[in-house]
Amino acid sequence: MSRYDFKMQRLFVRPLLAPGGSIEADRSQANYLLNVLRLKDTDRILVFNGKDGEWLAEIVATGRKACLLKLVEQVREQTTAIDLHYLFAPLKHARLDYMVQKAVEMGAGSLRPVMTQYTQASRVNLERMEANIIEAAEQCGVISVPQVLEPMALKDLVGTWEQTQPGRRLLFCDEGEETKNPLGALADLADRGPAPLAVLIGPEGGFSPEERELLRAQSFVTPIPLGPRVLRADTAAVAALAIVQATLGDWS
């Protein structure tokens, strides 16, 4: 990621961004800029929409809770999302919010909830997930906003994998692995050359014996451990993505 001005306010917007253009901030954004941050006419912020790069924009107040954002210049070109899929068994509310935000920070290009036998949250609020993704992107300088994919049952995910994700390796974080060090398995994958990846994290109670058997029987699955300690699911997400990015991803 290119360096950017950490001191400037960043704002995700949905309209297209183009030279000479201006966009109208929605009501909540305008209220936040004008009445919470107390920004004024000619103050500048950074805006992005996940498609057209990042732009320097000048505030033009049109009321107490309304403003335009006049585009001044593009400061960063659009980057493509990292081709790393993050698959996870949903958690409840605050811990799910944390997990989603950290996955964005760690470079996941898409996020998909996966329903398992021990998944505690039976429903997933995708709009809330998207809001957390946008918040993390705004705070961390991300301009390629990860995609939110519809939830799938683990059995269906595995059953359709080779048709929907041909050539993509699924890294299954297996708490039952005999070894405790994931680097050996990841080094073997690195030796095979670049390939698209997905990381799968289980629920708080882990995968069931049947699910572990199903996953380990697939040729496209590589089980990896996450060390000698028992990790909470949200912690495991950060640990797994960090290990994968450092060995096979854009850190290496």
Side-chain angles (χ1 to χ4, degrees):
M1 184 187 72
S2 302
R3 292 188 178 276
Y4 68 101
D5 188 343
F6 285 86
K7 296 179 182 179
M8 291 196 74
Q9 179 68 37
R10 299 182 76 244
L11 192 67
F12 174 81
V13 296
R14 298 192 183 275
L16 296 177
L17 304 175
S22 64
I23 59 177
E24 184 174 1
D26 67 35
R27 185 175 180 84
S28 62
Q29 290 175 330
N31 182 62
Y32 178 69
L33 294 173
L34 300 177
N35 300 310
V36 177
L37 297 181
R38 298 190 179 278
L39 299 179
K40 299 179 175 57
D41 271 338
T42 73
D43 283 344
R44 293 182 170 187
I45 64 171
L46 297 171
V47 297
F48 66 104
N49 63 1
K51 302 174 183 177
D52 302 315
E54 185 169 66
W55 291 71
L56 186 66
E58 187 173 282
I59 293 175
V60 180
T62 57
R64 289 186 59 189
K65 296 183 179 180
C67 68
L68 296 176
L69 301 173
K70 181 180 178 181
L71 301 180
V72 178
E73 62 177 339
Q74 188 184 61
V75 295
R76 281 199 293 168
E77 294 184 356
Q78 184 61 42
T79 58
T80 56
I82 299 171
D83 192 15
L84 175 62
H85 294 192
Y86 176 55
L87 315 173
F88 62 95
L91 303 175
K92 293 183 179 178
H93 300 307
R95 290 180 62 193
L96 177 58
D97 294 345
Y98 172 87
M99 177 189 284
V100 168
Q101 292 168 2
K102 299 311 165 188
V104 175
E105 293 177 36
M106 298 301 293
S110 69
L111 290 82
R112 184 191 293 278
V114 176
M115 313 309 288
T116 70
Q117 290 186 30
Y118 297 158
T119 297
Q120 293 187 0
S122 59
R123 296 183 180 180
V124 184
N125 186 331
L126 298 184
E127 290 184 1
R128 180 170 176 149
M129 273 186 62
E130 184 180 47
N132 277 288
I133 287 172
I134 290 172
E135 181 181 345
E138 288 177 336
Q139 293 177 354
C140 298
V142 174
I143 57 176
S144 296
V145 181
Q147 183 181 8
V148 177
L149 302 178
E150 290 289 330
M152 286 188 72
L154 178 62
K155 184 177 180 180
D156 295 335
L157 181 81
V158 172
T160 59
W161 188 266
E162 292 182 299
Q163 291 73 44
T164 61
Q165 302 294 333
R168 186 177 299 277
R169 173 64 45 177
L170 177 59
L171 303 178
F172 151 49
C173 297
D174 184 5
E175 68 276 9
E177 271 287 89
E178 293 182 3
T179 179
K180 302 301 181 185
N181 189 338
L183 297 181
L186 296 177
D188 289 342
L189 291 180
D191 290 340
R192 301 183 193 179
L197 299 172
V199 175
L200 173 63
I201 299 288
E204 293 172 313
F207 293 100
S208 71
E210 295 80 11
E211 290 170 336
R212 290 187 66 239
E213 182 179 355
L214 172 67
L215 286 163
R216 295 177 71 91
Q218 309 306 316
S219 61
F220 54 82
V221 171
T222 296
I224 61 170
L226 291 178
R229 284 164 288 280
V230 176
L231 303 178
R232 295 193 338 175
D234 46 349
T235 306
V238 179
L241 290 171
I243 293 167
V244 170
Q245 289 286 49
T247 53
L248 301 173
D250 63 354
W251 295 8
S252 57

